[in-house]
Amino acid sequence: MNAKKWMLSLLTAVMLISLLSACASNSSNKPSNTGTDKPNSGTEGGTKEPSTDPIKITFFDKNTGDKFDNAIAKEITKRTGVTIEIQQPTGNPTEKLNLMLASEDLPDMIMFDRSSDLVAKYIEAKAIVPLNDLISQYGPDVTTMYGDVLNKTRYKDGNNYYLSNWYGLEHEPVFGFNMRKDIVKELAPDKAEGGVPFTQSEFKQLLVDFKAKYPQIDGKNSIALTMDGENWGGTMGTFKGMFGLSGYYEHDGKLQYDVKDPKYKDMILYMNDLYRSGLMDKEWAINKRQVWEQKIATGTILSSTGAYWDLGNSNTILKKDKGEESQLFAYKVVADGVDPAKTTFGGRSSLGWDAIAITKKNKNPERTMQFINFLASEEGQYLLMWGIEGTHWDMKDGKHVPRPETLQAFKDDWAAYTKETGIRKWTWFIKNGPGADGTPYDLPGRYERSPIDKMAIKNLSDTIYDTAIYDGLNPQGGTPEALNEQKINDITKQALTKAIMAPSAEESSSIFDKMLSDMKAAGDEKVEAVYSSNYAARKELWN
């Protein structure tokens, strides 16, 4: 009897242990419901669908300090459960970002200038977190939308610490020679409608003919060519475009300063020729932007450099006062010996303008990545940039179609309508170009194009090239090479300005040559060694 009781007890114990083991095993294979995620039983691999439980995320957005409370903001919260608390200083965002890093008083998310050395500082200080695993687990739309951009925005340790904003190579023109179409129509009628570029001699002749026929307009002295003195990059970028120059001179596999390209001196001598011929605004180098806009708006200017959108305010006045064709339209000018298809007016980075990161103080990085994934998705992009379906746009025959009143509101007062509705207000994780149905993500900026936009596209679309490989190759801030670089930048800007305005071609050439020797004395080869080293490392990382 004792043996039977003992055997019965043993069997009971074995059965109990088996039952408990099975329960434990079954429990361990189930998705956890203790976090903020909800299980998605229909997704392979146990991927979790995003939670919509309420949560607040603090976000330092360098571009805006407005409250997250308009219609689009409320719709984002409705679909994600996330409310954003915007943090943006009234002063200098860079100073605030430096202060936040020093004090470790960090928000949950940060938006930087992608080219700023602050990004590297935050990474080295471990103030922002790697995103690789978060993207892998919670960012399927991020992976799809960003594609190879994720490979190219990796840090030197191989990790992604931020996501680009306004990324993807947009086939949109940048710089060009902007000219009054009505006068081009009169003096160079074969070029007026675009499609055929000016040669450098034809452009000069146009300026000469303009000054001869119109020494004064409306009782004021005319100017054949002016520039925005505060936009050095736009001025030089336009002339560099016609000579096919880029940000660096690549020679024997090494990067050197762009001014060392033999064509650069040719460019400066051409600019000097225009200046000495009385065709260039004598005040071009000191023109403040507002003064430059006012000069153009008077109708006394034939042409100017820079991006076609820079002329928006002036063109609005010209159109109102003198008619549509009195506005400045973008044209291509090609230097002698340069293939028109090899001009470089349209340098753009496919990696975007901004960098958006998650900080180490964020207590809900998984939930934050789910929020990011929504905004980066097709659905999120159209919500951010088009508004709400059925209110601001409709889906017709498989395509997004904006409502007429939405387009008209942007035409009437873009800024006010953006502030009122939130459409194109929260421009986070924005991708350039068209969505899956072929409509552009950027509704107000790309859906309906003005005649000025269309002319720029017609004349300059073939000048676009990706500058991403050259982005951010500069020496790290605070290093001796960084100080050398700043000194060299000061030398070149002052010397080039003097060379352009020199009283003779010989003096212009002499100033340019002295600039090169001054650069060498200031340590240009040390800086170029950093450029070349960073360039080689980037190519290796990308491959």
Side-chain angles (χ1 to χ4, degrees):
M1 290 293 292
N2 288 336
K4 288 182 179 180
K5 288 181 179 179
W6 181 85
M7 287 296 294
L8 182 61
S9 298
L10 179 61
L11 288 170
T12 302
V14 170
M15 290 175 66
L16 181 60
I17 290 170
S18 298
L19 180 62
L20 291 172
S21 296
C23 290
S25 176
N26 190 43
S27 175
S28 66
N29 287 329
K30 290 181 179 179
S32 171
N33 273 329
T34 58
T36 58
D37 302 315
K38 298 177 182 177
N40 183 354
S41 59
T43 305
E44 186 179 348
T47 302
K48 300 168 185 176
E49 70 178 20
S51 169
T52 55
D53 295 337
I55 186 175
K56 180 179 288 186
I57 294 175
T58 54
F59 188 178
F60 179 88
D61 180 345
K62 66 181 181 62
N63 296 325
T64 182
D66 290 4
K67 290 184 178 180
F68 192 73
D69 62 358
N70 51 41
I72 303 307
K74 291 174 182 176
E75 187 67 19
I76 291 171
T77 300
K78 177 182 175 181
R79 298 191 198 184
T80 66
V82 176
T83 299
I84 296 294
E85 180 183 306
I86 301 291
Q87 297 181 356
Q88 206 273 335
T90 54
N92 188 325
T94 300
E95 292 177 2
K96 178 64 175 177
L97 284 163
N98 276 311
L99 182 60
M100 287 194 302
L101 180 61
S103 65
E104 294 197 346
D105 182 17
L106 301 168
D108 296 316
M109 296 174 65
I110 288 177
M111 180 192 283
F112 307 88
D113 280 318
R114 196 183 61 78
S115 60
S116 168
D117 62 359
L118 274 169
V119 179
K121 287 181 181 178
Y122 268 73
I123 292 172
E124 295 295 336
K126 301 187 185 305
I128 54 179
V129 302
L131 304 178
N132 304 52
D133 290 343
L134 290 168
I135 293 171
S136 177
Q137 296 179 56
Y138 303 99
D141 291 296
V142 168
T143 301
T144 299
M145 295 287 276
Y146 278 80
D148 194 45
V149 170
L150 292 176
N151 179 53
K152 294 179 177 179
T153 54
R154 288 180 298 158
Y155 194 56
K156 58 188 177 183
D157 63 4
N159 288 316
N160 286 103
Y161 288 90
Y162 67 83
L163 288 172
S164 296
N165 199 29
W166 295 107
Y167 67 97
L169 185 61
E170 190 177 28
H171 213 67
E172 288 283 329
V174 185
F175 301 133
F177 285 91
N178 303 289
M179 311 182 206
R180 274 188 59 169
K181 185 180 178 182
D182 55 354
I183 294 177
V184 174
K185 206 169 184 177
E186 179 184 351
L187 301 178
D190 60 320
K191 302 290 197 302
E193 298 304 325
V196 181
F198 287 86
T199 65
Q200 69 178 65
S201 58
E202 287 174 337
F203 179 57
K204 180 183 177 181
Q205 190 60 51
L206 175 68
L207 303 184
V208 169
D209 292 345
F210 168 75
K211 285 296 292 181
K213 186 164 187 177
Y214 297 103
Q216 288 192 327
I217 296 177
D218 297 332
K220 299 176 182 176
N221 292 334
S222 67
I223 296 173
L225 173 65
T226 190
M227 284 89 93
D228 175 2
E230 292 185 314
N231 186 9
W232 176 260
T235 297
M236 302 308 289
T238 302
F239 278 98
K240 284 170 65 175
M242 71 176 279
F243 281 82
L245 298 163
S246 62
Y248 295 95
Y249 175 44
E250 191 165 353
H251 184 63
D252 293 335
K254 305 289 185 180
L255 294 187
Q256 296 180 312
Y257 277 95
D258 57 357
V259 295
K260 294 186 179 182
D261 188 313
K263 290 182 292 185
Y264 205 106
K265 187 174 184 179
D266 294 339
M267 179 190 86
I268 294 300
L269 292 175
Y270 177 67
M271 295 177 72
N272 173 250
D273 179 45
L274 297 182
Y275 183 83
R276 288 185 294 104
S277 299
L279 304 174
M280 189 183 291
D281 185 356
K282 298 292 184 183
E283 299 174 336
W284 71 270
I286 59 172
N287 278 335
K288 297 295 184 183
R289 182 177 180 86
Q290 188 175 10
V291 172
W292 169 75
E293 288 181 328
Q294 289 171 349
K295 285 183 176 181
I296 293 170
T298 63
T300 60
I301 308 290
L302 169 61
S303 63
S304 187
T305 54
Y308 66 93
W309 59 80
D310 290 338
L311 281 297
N313 293 335
S314 302
N315 273 339
T316 298
I317 296 171
L318 286 170
K319 182 179 178 180
K320 180 181 178 182
D321 293 347
K322 296 179 178 293
E324 184 166 298
E325 292 195 341
S326 70
Q327 298 177 98
L328 274 65
F329 289 70
Y331 292 87
K332 182 193 290 188
V333 180
V334 183
D336 294 343
V338 176
D339 182 343
K342 299 281 180 68
T343 50
T344 51
F345 291 97
R348 284 181 170 274
S349 175
S350 59
L351 303 187
W353 299 102
D354 306 316
I356 306 176
I358 297 175
T359 77
K360 66 178 182 180
K361 293 297 181 73
N362 189 314
K363 296 180 179 179
N364 297 282
E366 296 85 1
R367 184 68 185 281
T368 302
M369 181 53 67
Q370 290 175 338
F371 170 71
I372 290 171
N373 187 69
F374 168 74
L375 295 182
S377 70
E378 282 267 307
E379 179 185 354
Q381 297 286 285
Y382 280 105
L383 175 59
L384 289 166
M385 304 296 279
W386 282 59
I388 302 167
E389 182 178 6
T391 301
H392 306 111
W393 60 272
D394 299 292
M395 187 66 77
K396 296 180 180 179
D397 299 324
K399 286 187 175 288
H400 293 74
V401 179
R403 293 193 167 185
E405 59 268 26
T406 301
L407 292 174
Q408 190 60 46
F410 273 110
K411 292 176 183 177
D412 293 341
D413 194 331
W414 180 317
Y417 192 63
T418 291
K419 189 175 184 65
E420 173 194 341
T421 62
I423 302 173
R424 209 183 188 274
K425 177 65 177 177
W426 316 111
T427 52
W428 301 325
F429 313 103
I430 296 302
K431 185 175 185 177
N432 287 318
D437 67 356
T439 54
Y441 289 126
D442 185 357
L443 171 64
R446 297 289 181 260
Y447 189 80
E448 286 189 345
R449 308 308 295 263
S450 71
I452 288 175
D453 290 14
K454 291 176 181 177
M455 180 73 86
I457 292 167
K458 181 177 183 179
N459 286 332
L460 298 160
S461 285
D462 64 345
T463 73
I464 295 158
Y465 67 102
D466 194 352
T467 64
I469 191 70
Y470 301 116
D471 290 354
L473 300 178
N474 311 71
Q476 187 173 348
T479 61
E481 292 80 8
L483 297 175
N484 292 140
E485 183 185 51
Q486 182 56 57
K487 185 175 181 180
I488 291 164
N489 289 344
D490 292 340
I491 289 170
T492 55
K493 187 172 182 178
Q494 291 175 16
L496 292 174
T497 303
K498 290 179 181 177
I500 293 166
M501 302 173 71
S504 69
E506 292 76 19
E507 187 168 340
S508 178
S509 178
S510 176
I511 292 170
F512 189 90
D513 292 342
K514 184 177 185 303
M515 174 192 73
L516 294 178
S517 64
D518 289 343
M519 289 171 61
K520 187 171 184 178
D524 65 346
E525 292 177 352
K526 295 178 182 178
V527 181
E528 290 171 342
V530 175
Y531 294 156
S532 298
S533 175
N534 289 341
Y535 183 50
R538 173 162 299 163
K539 288 192 291 185
E540 184 177 351
L541 180 65
W542 285 13
N543 294 329

